[in-house]
Amino acid sequence: MTNSMFELTEKQKKELSGIFGRGVNFKDKERHFYTHDVGALPSLVKKMVGKTKPAAIVKIKDEAKAIELVNFARKYKIPIVPRAGASSGYGGIIPTKGGIIADVTPMREIVDIDKDNLKVTVGAGAVWYDLESKLNEEGLAVQAVPSSAMSATVGGWLAQNGVGYGSYEYGWSQDTMESARVVLPNGEVKDFSGNELDKIIGTMGTTGIITQVTLKLRKFEKNAAISAGFPDASSMKNAIRKVGEKKIPIWAISFLNPQWADMKNRSPYKTHYGETVEEHRPELPHSYICNFAYPESRDVSGLEDIIKEAGGEILPKEIAEHETQEWFRSMKVKRLGPSFIPAEVVVPVDKIDTMFTEIGKKIGLPVLVEGMVTKGDEAIMLCFMPHSERSFKYNIAFPLALSIVKISEENSGRIYASGLYFAQQADKVYKKRLPLIQELKKQIDPDDIMNPETLTGKTMLKTGLSFAKAFEPMARMVGNMSGVGEQEFKDEKKIPGDIISHAYTCAQCGYCVNECDQYYGRGWESQSPRGKWFFIKEYLAGKMPLDQEQVDTFLACTTCEMCDHNCQLDLPIERSWMTLRENFVQKRGMMTIPPFEIMAQSLDKERNIWANYRVDRDKWLPDDIRAKIKDKAEVAYFAGCTASFVEKDVAEGTVRLLDEARIDFAYLGDKEACCGIPMLVAGKWDVFERILKMNIANMQKLGAKTVVTSCPACLLMWRTIYPQWAEKLGMDFDIEAKHYSEILMDKLDVLKPKFKVPINKTIAWHDSCHLGRAGAGVYEPPRELLKAIPGVTFKEMEHNREKALCCGSVVTLIDEPKVASKIGNVRLQEAVDQDADIMAALCPCCLVQFRVAARDNNVDMKVEDLAALAARSLGYDLPETTTDALVAWATFEKMIELMEPENMTEMMVELLPDMIGAMPSYMQAMMKTVKYVPGMDVLMKPMMPIMMPMLMPSLMPKVMPKMLKAVEKRVPMPDYMIEQMPDLMPAAMGNLLPNMLPQIIPLLTPKMIAYIKAN
């Protein structure tokens, strides 16, 4: 039998690294993120499950790697646990014996679309929502799709087996699948089709690693829907039954009970930067609501009569439309939880009303029910009881899930799926297929390598569940008295209470994962928003430490808000991370991303992030425009740092457009300061506050009522953040902010005749996060301006507007340039796919990022600024600034490289003579004993972590001149930066070293001892 394996040997790690390279992770902390699924288990049940930390995680990019993995695992009898979207809660991905997590999500390509035979072959990691979107473009659609389509994978639904939208017409997931390709535990590859699929459907990775699936398709057509309200479950059941009897051509039937409807009405509205987003949400009636969906061309006449005859009423069309739009966002009600006790069961349609009646009689806690009807007159009822996993009562109330399962069994039903947690129910779930599955498992996996215990169960857990089932009446009685009221979350371990609330509310559904640039840039769960919410819970429980590495995962977030957009619970994710930045850096004194410290000193000294002189800030301004600028005006232009010092064509292009549009404006010139967003995301809110006050005061002196920006981040500050902070600080603020593209919309009739130089290029448009999704929601004005330029062939990229992918800058570029280049290349490739000559953008930071990414990835794609393109078409000769951007970035790139612990250690080794020479005489004497007294070197090692932090404050001023020379040798800097380093570096290093020394000292100590012995 396979061994429990929670740690690999060094030999095994080396061998696995040889197979997967950077696609393997052995870090203890990272492995902790793969110990669970979406289910929130009670503490007592967790103890029964036991240790679940894998020994390694690997990324399976193709079938060949899957084969290599199973051969490796078989050789050492190491368990393998296949993992995809992790969107189920039955314990199908829990590594109870450790081993290797095989993450199959990289296999998400569309292999082949067969339009003639209505089939598609995809990688097992293909996400349903993405697949459906691409098929729709081809005039095709999947037959059925799970309600977790935003994160669930095709292979995962095969491994789980289930019901989704479309199952009323097409059946369970297995009925919509033609074939599957699987790497078996013995290393062989087998195609399963027809009746043979019965051997692998729903087996949760216990029979192999699924690599490809062929799905049956249908012609795409927009759906229509009719929603009906019913006074009771019986009338709803009768309507559903009649629809079947009269063969009304319905594609999907879903329903919910009054308690769920009430929760949906009460669930919080989405917010953006703390402000409620205006959205119209129709009020649902307090009744049983059933939604009937069908392709809009179908004749469903008779449906409304059936509803009325059953005692129901047709609900307003806006409810049907809203409920259809909310198909994949049903867990929004969890905001009122914060935790749910789940029970998912399958019952005959004829028993729907009995189920509701029995649940009402026997379960004392509120039970929210969402259901789906499937082909064959079965209904899946997803039952959730709001509770709090932090309460001990959660342990006592949790057995009520078994009571609901028992009620279903008494009504000819069963549990929805088995898995680790309900392995005892496997015979009821798989029925006649179970012997086939067991026989296959015996043949191909005699050592039980693949996902052991998932279908057979864990002894202690099975014993506990058997005990709970035997004493179900008593457990139910106690559970019914174990509800919790409204939960109040207070600050804990210095984490704000509202953030703690969000962490426990998070459904761990994974909607935020796949398109998070930090996740696909690095590839590991710890970087995803879901992973960070999980970390907060584990930190509060004392199971994970809050160290610098974890802080960095919060700091590295680009604030693109893709997670906020995708979160089905509408959690304010980015807002929460922003709060934690200040919490970690300013309040706790932990280290920000190191280059931000140099930026902070430059901001305080020269008001910009590029360590340039403030007197040079307005040198980009053309003389003819300078002469026209007003001393005071209602409109003022705010250029920002990067447009002022690096990509000057952005600023010049903007003012040329404003001037040609006959807009009078003022400009702060060298009194302008950075907008401050780098300090906000760096957690250095004290610096941000100083900058904000300075900018507002100076702008008010100009008499400005409207600030016009080029940079979307600057727009976000002036439009949203400055007003909020001004109110908090008791400052007057009566300024509105607009992007120049918005201002020019009313002036296109003036500008269009002046565009005289055709571009004659195909241009793909990039939506900046901070102008669109994460900012003001501005999408059309820049498009209209770009399309107005003669000779432009405009192209939309695959992800656009609110779904546009982030460029990966600024934070990731400053933190990990290699990761940023990977993120940027994903977006660049979308422009390449459009056969574009140019990718156009309007954010100076996006421009820097894409130009660096194009260089690093050898992508032949010009990256141009919108304002610069438009100004050139007006006839102005603006310089091309790609080289300037790459040269300016080279300094930061080398500075970032220098700040890595290994490189900082190497520099400090060079400074050892000066450091030791600057020490007090008694310390120098002690250092000499290392050379002459046996054993002193051994004593020195544990002393260094204590001594160095105490010595550094006094050593740094004495060593600083040599350190500056050492930095200058390693970092190519322009003269103006070299001149300022004596002012910038001491304070920056003073802030950095207390946090960097714990990383440096273990590396420096042996080198210091070696130096002393040699000298």
Side-chain angles (χ1 to χ4, degrees):
M1 294 297 289
T2 187
N3 303 312
S4 290
M5 184 73 71
F6 297 102
E7 293 289 342
L8 299 182
T9 65
E10 290 305 313
K11 176 187 175 185
Q12 290 166 342
K13 288 180 181 178
K14 185 176 181 181
E15 191 173 338
L16 204 56
S17 296
I19 298 172
F20 291 97
R22 299 182 70 178
V24 62
N25 202 312
F26 305 111
K27 289 183 178 179
D28 179 74
K29 179 179 287 186
E30 189 64 45
R31 290 184 279 139
H32 194 90
F33 287 91
Y34 293 79
T35 58
H36 67 104
D37 61 13
V38 300
L41 296 178
S43 55
L44 296 179
V45 176
K46 285 181 183 178
K47 291 178 181 178
M48 295 179 193
V49 174
K51 189 174 181 180
T52 60
K53 185 179 288 187
I57 310 109
V58 299
K59 293 283 185 178
I60 308 292
K61 294 184 177 180
D62 52 44
E63 189 174 273
K65 291 299 180 187
I67 294 170
E68 287 188 81
L69 176 63
V70 296
N71 288 337
F72 169 85
R74 194 170 69 255
K75 180 168 77 170
Y76 295 108
K77 292 188 177 180
I78 299 173
I80 297 174
V81 180
R83 187 181 196 270
S87 59
S88 180
Y90 286 88
I93 56 165
I94 307 298
T96 57
K97 288 193 171 186
I100 301 166
I101 293 285
D103 183 348
V104 303
T105 54
M107 296 189 291
R108 60 180 57 188
E109 72 284 357
I110 296 178
V111 179
D112 179 63
I113 298 177
D114 184 347
K115 291 186 177 181
D116 294 331
N117 296 300
L118 293 180
K119 296 177 185 177
V120 63
T121 300
V122 298
V127 175
W128 281 99
Y129 187 84
D130 297 339
L131 172 62
E132 176 73 346
S133 299
K134 290 177 181 177
L135 287 173
N136 290 171
E137 293 172 5
E138 301 291 332
L140 301 170
V142 297
Q143 291 185 343
V145 60
S147 59
S148 55
M150 295 284 290
S151 61
T153 63
V154 172
W157 211 27
L158 184 151
Q160 169 75 61
N161 196 21
V163 166
Y165 296 103
S167 288
Y168 181 75
E169 180 173 353
Y170 293 103
W172 287 68
S173 60
Q174 67 187 70
D175 301 315
T176 69
M177 297 178 178
E178 181 82 12
S179 63
R181 190 169 172 85
V182 183
V183 175
L184 303 175
N186 59 14
E188 297 176 6
V189 179
K190 181 176 173 60
D191 289 299
F192 291 83
S193 61
N195 292 334
E196 283 223 306
L197 278 172
D198 285 346
K199 298 178 181 179
I200 61 168
I201 290 286
T203 54
M204 300 189 179
T206 57
T207 51
I209 299 174
I210 303 165
T211 58
Q212 283 184 8
V213 180
T214 298
L215 299 168
K216 302 171 189 176
L217 301 177
R218 61 190 177 110
K219 295 290 186 180
F220 170 66
E221 188 177 346
K222 287 185 178 179
N223 279 319
I226 292 176
S227 291
F230 295 91
D232 51 54
S234 292
S235 57
M236 182 177 71
K237 177 200 75 173
N238 291 335
I240 293 171
R241 190 175 57 188
K242 278 290 183 183
V243 166
E245 290 173 358
K246 294 197 174 184
K247 300 191 181 329
I248 306 295
I250 299 298
W251 177 66
I253 298 178
S254 58
F255 59 86
L256 46 90
N257 68 342
Q259 290 89 336
W260 193 294
D262 178 60
M263 289 279 273
K264 290 188 80 167
N265 288 334
R266 293 191 292 116
S267 61
Y269 281 92
K270 186 180 183 70
T271 59
H272 191 233
Y273 290 95
E275 301 295 328
T276 299
V277 175
E278 290 296 327
E279 62 170 298
H280 175 66
R281 188 169 70 193
E283 185 83 5
L284 299 180
H286 189 75
S287 61
Y288 290 85
I289 298 173
C290 195
N291 303 300
F292 303 88
Y294 51 91
E296 61 183 4
S297 68
R298 289 186 182 176
D299 179 7
V300 295
S301 57
L303 175 58
E304 292 192 7
D305 288 340
I306 289 173
I307 292 169
K308 292 173 183 176
E309 288 169 7
E313 64 170 337
I314 308 300
L315 298 179
K317 188 176 180 181
E318 66 170 349
I319 288 181
E321 291 175 348
H322 182 266
E323 289 303 288
T324 301
Q325 292 167 0
E326 293 284 293
W327 269 355
F328 307 125
R329 308 178 73 84
S330 63
M331 292 304 291
K332 189 178 295 186
V333 296
K334 195 173 183 289
R335 288 290 295 274
L336 302 172
S339 308
F340 277 171
I341 297 171
E344 303 181 342
V345 296
V346 182
V347 298
V349 166
D350 276 346
K351 297 291 185 178
I352 290 176
D353 52 348
T354 307
M355 280 294 298
F356 278 116
T357 299
E358 290 296 304
I359 289 173
K361 286 180 180 179
K362 296 181 177 180
I363 307 300
L365 302 188
V367 181
L368 316 181
V369 181
E370 181 182 41
M372 287 187 182
V373 183
T374 186
K375 188 176 183 178
D377 292 328
E378 285 186 321
I380 286 70
M381 298 177 66
L382 312 179
C383 308
F384 300 98
M385 290 165 275
H387 213 281
S388 173
E389 63 189 273
R390 302 198 83 192
S391 169
F392 182 78
K393 291 181 179 180
Y394 192 66
N395 291 279
I396 303 169
F398 205 80
L400 290 175
L402 297 179
S403 298
I404 292 176
V405 172
K406 184 178 179 183
I407 293 170
S408 73
E409 291 173 345
E410 292 170 348
N411 286 279
S412 305
R414 60 172 175 82
I415 197 165
Y416 183 54
S418 61
L420 175 69
Y421 304 143
F422 297 101
Q424 286 180 313
Q425 303 282 337
D427 58 334
K428 296 175 182 175
V429 172
Y430 298 103
K431 299 177 182 176
K432 64 181 180 181
R433 293 198 298 115
L434 186 58
L436 298 176
I437 294 168
Q438 292 170 332
E439 180 59 30
L440 176 66
K441 177 78 170 173
K442 183 178 178 181
Q443 291 174 6
I444 62 174
D445 193 13
D447 292 324
D448 196 23
I449 288 170
M450 295 302 304
N451 213 357
E453 300 186 320
T454 298
L455 290 188
T456 56
K458 199 170 180 67
T459 303
M460 185 177 292
L461 186 60
K462 288 197 294 186
T463 301
L465 290 174
S466 295
F467 183 83
K469 191 172 183 180
F471 292 91
E472 186 273 332
M474 183 182 298
R476 174 161 38 94
M477 182 180 67
V478 176
N480 283 336
M481 296 185 291
S482 303
V484 291
E486 187 173 339
Q487 295 295 290
E488 182 181 354
F489 289 87
K490 298 180 180 179
D491 293 5
E492 191 174 336
K493 288 191 173 181
K494 298 182 182 179
I495 301 290
D498 61 334
I499 292 177
I500 295 173
S501 171
H502 300 329
Y504 281 94
T505 298
C506 171
Q508 291 290 302
C509 63
Y511 282 26
C512 60
V513 175
N514 293 312
E515 290 185 350
C516 169
D517 55 25
Q518 299 307 293
Y519 176 76
Y520 65 72
R522 295 174 176 83
W524 307 111
E525 188 73 25
S526 61
Q527 304 297 326
S528 72
R530 170 173 72 178
K532 292 169 190 171
W533 289 128
F534 174 72
F535 164 78
I536 291 172
K537 289 177 22 175
E538 296 296 276
Y539 167 64
L540 293 172
K543 296 178 180 178
M544 295 184 82
L546 178 61
D547 54 18
Q548 189 63 49
E549 182 182 10
Q550 187 61 47
V551 167
D552 289 346
T553 68
F554 288 95
L555 291 171
C557 164
T558 59
T559 74
C560 78
E561 291 195 28
M562 184 65 87
C563 53
D564 290 61
H565 175 71
N566 287 331
C567 178
Q568 65 170 316
L569 277 72
D570 289 335
L571 291 174
I573 302 173
E574 190 279 331
R575 187 85 173 178
S576 298
W577 295 176
M578 189 66 77
T579 300
L580 289 177
R581 293 168 192 264
E582 187 224 14
N583 182 291
F584 295 151
V585 175
Q586 194 155 313
K587 293 184 176 179
R588 297 177 189 243
M590 301 185 81
M591 184 170 65
T592 189
I593 297 171
F596 278 129
E597 289 293 353
I598 296 291
M599 288 185 185
Q601 302 312 314
S602 176
L603 273 173
D604 270 341
K605 180 177 180 291
E606 298 293 337
R607 303 180 186 174
N608 71 85
I609 61 172
W610 290 96
N612 215 314
Y613 289 117
R614 78 174 75 166
V615 294
D616 294 332
R617 190 174 189 105
D618 64 352
K619 285 190 174 180
W620 60 270
L621 194 62
D623 291 338
D624 61 314
I625 298 292
R626 188 184 297 272
K628 298 178 182 179
I629 288 179
K630 309 296 180 184
D631 293 331
K632 286 194 172 187
E634 290 195 356
V635 176
Y637 175 55
F638 188 88
C641 298
T642 304
S644 298
F645 292 108
V646 182
E647 289 165 329
K648 301 172 186 178
D649 57 337
V650 175
E652 183 177 347
T654 301
V655 297
R656 291 292 185 193
L657 289 168
L658 294 175
D659 180 57
E660 292 284 359
R662 302 173 192 160
I663 297 172
D664 293 332
F665 60 93
Y667 169 54
L668 287 172
D670 61 9
K671 291 184 176 61
E672 180 183 284
C674 171
C675 70
I677 193 172
M679 296 300 99
L680 203 62
V681 298
K684 299 183 76 65
W685 288 17
D686 54 341
V687 181
F688 172 76
E689 185 177 322
R690 290 196 292 273
I691 291 291
L692 168 141
K693 288 178 177 178
M694 185 188 309
N695 274 331
I696 293 176
N698 286 334
M699 197 62 78
Q700 287 172 337
K701 288 176 184 176
L702 290 183
K705 298 298 181 184
T706 301
V707 169
V708 177
T709 76
S710 302
C711 174
C714 295
L715 178 68
L716 174 64
M717 293 298 103
W718 279 101
R719 193 168 188 150
T720 304
I721 305 301
Y722 279 17
Q724 291 181 349
W725 275 67
E727 183 178 0
K728 180 172 68 172
L729 296 171
M731 299 172 60
D732 290 332
F733 189 90
D734 57 352
I735 300 170
E736 69 169 345
K738 290 190 176 182
H739 189 261
Y740 71 80
S741 64
E742 294 180 279
I743 287 282
L744 295 176
M745 276 306 89
D746 296 331
K747 301 289 185 177
L748 276 184
D749 57 335
V750 177
L751 280 177
K752 276 186 179 181
K754 297 183 178 184
F755 289 129
K756 52 192 176 184
V757 181
I759 300 295
N760 295 328
K761 298 289 184 182
T762 297
I763 301 181
W765 178 247
H766 166 71
D767 289 286
S768 163
C769 302
H770 287 134
L771 187 66
R773 177 184 57 248
V778 176
Y779 299 111
E780 297 313 316
R783 283 173 168 77
E784 291 303 311
L785 180 58
L786 183 56
K787 291 175 183 177
I789 300 172
V792 167
T793 301
F794 181 87
K795 288 289 186 78
E796 292 281 13
M797 289 192 274
E798 179 183 348
H799 294 85
N800 58 73
R801 294 179 173 82
E802 70 275 1
K803 296 180 181 179
L805 300 181
C806 179
C807 70
S809 181
V810 169
V811 185
T812 309
L813 192 61
I814 291 173
D815 182 39
E816 291 187 75
K818 289 181 180 177
V819 172
S821 287
K822 182 178 178 181
I823 295 168
N825 190 43
V826 173
R827 190 62 165 156
L828 283 170
Q829 291 307 315
E830 290 196 348
V832 171
D833 291 344
Q834 296 300 322
D835 296 322
D837 302 304
I838 297 170
M839 176 197 274
L842 48 63
C843 172
C845 297
C846 291
L847 293 170
V848 171
Q849 160 70 343
F850 285 133
R851 287 166 171 173
V852 171
R855 178 201 68 187
D856 291 350
N857 294 286
N858 297 313
V859 178
D860 185 17
M861 176 63 62
K862 289 195 71 176
V863 181
E864 296 283 356
D865 173 62
L866 171 63
L869 284 169
R872 292 187 187 110
S873 184
L874 288 169
Y876 294 102
D877 184 21
L878 269 64
E880 208 281 335
T881 57
T882 296
T883 300
D884 295 337
L886 294 177
V887 169
W889 171 245
T891 298
F892 274 87
E893 199 163 30
K894 287 296 182 182
M895 188 69 75
I896 293 163
E897 188 178 308
L898 175 60
M899 295 293 184
E900 292 175 1
E902 294 79 7
N903 296 327
M904 282 292 289
T905 301
E906 183 267 332
M907 184 176 73
M908 293 186 80
V909 168
E910 182 180 319
L911 299 174
L912 278 176
D914 301 277
M915 288 172 62
I916 294 174
M919 288 180 182
S921 56
Y922 70 88
M923 284 298 303
Q924 292 184 28
M926 190 176 77
M927 291 290 181
K928 289 179 182 178
T929 63
V930 173
K931 182 173 183 178
Y932 300 109
V933 179
M936 277 301 295
D937 56 343
V938 177
L939 291 174
M940 180 68 74
K941 287 181 181 178
M943 292 174 63
M944 290 301 289
I946 301 170
M947 291 165 44
M948 289 300 287
M950 296 169 60
L951 288 169
M952 275 300 174
S954 62
L955 294 182
M956 273 296 104
K958 300 172 184 176
V959 178
M960 187 54 65
K962 289 290 182 70
M963 177 176 279
L964 290 169
K965 290 295 181 183
V967 171
E968 187 177 338
K969 184 170 69 175
R970 290 164 172 80
V971 180
M973 292 181 283
D975 291 343
Y976 61 78
M977 191 177 290
I978 293 173
E979 291 167 7
Q980 293 189 75
M981 275 298 151
D983 295 321
L984 305 182
M985 185 64 76
M989 292 308 296
N991 290 335
L992 285 172
L993 279 177
N995 289 299
M996 292 190 77
L997 282 175
Q999 301 174 43
I1000 295 172
I1001 290 172
L1003 303 173
L1004 180 63
T1005 299
K1007 296 178 183 291
M1008 178 181 280
I1009 290 171
Y1011 171 81
I1012 294 169
K1013 287 184 175 180
N1015 295 278

